[in-house]
Amino acid sequence: MTIRKGVFLLKKVRLGNSDLQVGEISLGCMRMDKLSKKDAAYVIENAMEAGVDLFDHADIYGGGKSEEVFADAIDLNSSIREKMIIQTKCGIRKGFFDFSKEHILTSVDGSLERLNTDYIDILLLHRPDALMEPEEVAEAFTKLKESGKVRHFGVSNQHPMQIELLKKYLKEDLIVNQLQLSIMHTPIIDAGLNVNMQNDASIVRDSGILEYCRLHDLTIQAWSPFQYGMINGVFVGNDQFPEVNAKLQELAEKKGVTDSAIAIAWILRHPAKIQPVVGTMNPERLNDIAQASHIELTREEWYELYRVAGNKLP
């Protein structure tokens, strides 16, 4: 096992039913537009040395600047490009969502130009569009695939019937669904533990998306893994959540890692093989988080964290 700066290289996870094998933790690049070229280069190079090789973008991150900074920072060339998986998203526009064929194709061309690359490894549809016409999405995906501009496809924040509607028309497989998940945000888990109960946690809010993704070989990518509520703030080290943080600290000391690593290890412990998307632009913190890849929480420890987050078992 290779070690650099005390960090173990990440274990690998397969994305959906594709041939892509990537580090089981990915780096979200939403905040990269705030970095200098030098700092961004260090973030990217450090990530890759730790085994983080999937970089998650979106056309709206920094108004497109995050993609530009990423490409400029490492002077993206073929030798570097082949060692990484670049994922981006489209569909969110100012005040509305847009899955039209025209917008998808235009957005991809913009991302390709900003990223200074000939192809995107994975394109995700970013949040559901109520006016989606699946035939148009299918036409766009086929054109992107046949042109070589996009190799794989996925969605973000979609429930099973939305995905089934897309799949009726798509020729290409969907391999990823990005969903918000953290110790303090667990709706995709709660209903499955409160079956046949008359309480709020028993309400199925997403048509069983966790089980659906497992059944249909869609890799769940957990976004905002340190946030509580609907991106209300970070819970790690937050005085509002003393019980959660006390348990995180206890387990961190026991296993010789940081509390953030334990928070990610909690997600990795789930048998669905979920891939967390962490957004830190601090290389040292990413190294600490990466140690979660080699932390094994027991079933008891997993449930202890779930309970101290305010969840009651039936």
Side-chain angles (χ1 to χ4, degrees), residues 15 41-42 77 118 134 165 187 205 257 264 275 279 302-303 306:
L15 294 183
Y42 183 43
N77 58 57
D118 296 328
L165 179 58
R205 305 176 190 278
V257 296
I264 294 299
Q275 183 189 44
W302 190 92
Y303 275 104
Y306 181 76

Side-chain angles (χ1 to χ4, degrees), residues 19 70 78 111 166 175 178 184 197 210 256 275 301:
D19 58 355
F70 179 88
S78 58
S111 288
L166 269 175
I175 65 171
Q178 278 198 358
M184 294 295 297
M197 303 292 292
L210 174 61
Q275 183 189 44
E301 290 166 342

